[in-house]
Amino acid sequence: MRILLLSIGKTKAKFYREAMEYYKDGIKNYSEIEILELKDVHSNLKKEADNLRAALEKRDYFKSGQNKIVILDERGKQMSSHDLAKQISSWQDNGV
């Protein structure tokens, strides 16, 4: 399983950058992981979506048809870290 963690805009706060590296270090023993920060185009959702699609296509992310895209947003479904880990584990067990 490949994990691509995308961030819209540069993660500036030291705490968040350290947290991203902490999780990356823990995950890399179990799965390929990459962190990519895309340019924030300030409220132009079409441009942000185009940038996201281009980043995924560049990495052949749509090629296998088995990849999952998980978007983390404060307006979305609430999920604990434990529940997200269980979901990812389930995808791994099913060959995603």
Side-chain angles (χ1 to χ4, degrees), residues 1-3 30-33 68 87-89 91-92 96:
M1 173 180 264
R2 290 178 8 196
I3 296 175
Y30 304 98
S31 182
E32 179 183 340
I33 182 167
K68 300 288 185 190
Q87 179 61 65
I88 292 170
S89 179
W91 288 332
Q92 283 182 308
V96 173

Side-chain angles (χ1 to χ4, degrees), residues 12 20 28 35-36 38 45 49-50 69-70 86 93:
K12 296 175 184 164
M20 287 169 60
K28 71 181 180 186
I35 297 175
L36 176 65
L38 298 178
L45 296 178
D50 290 345
I69 297 174
V70 178
K86 285 191 333 188
D93 291 346

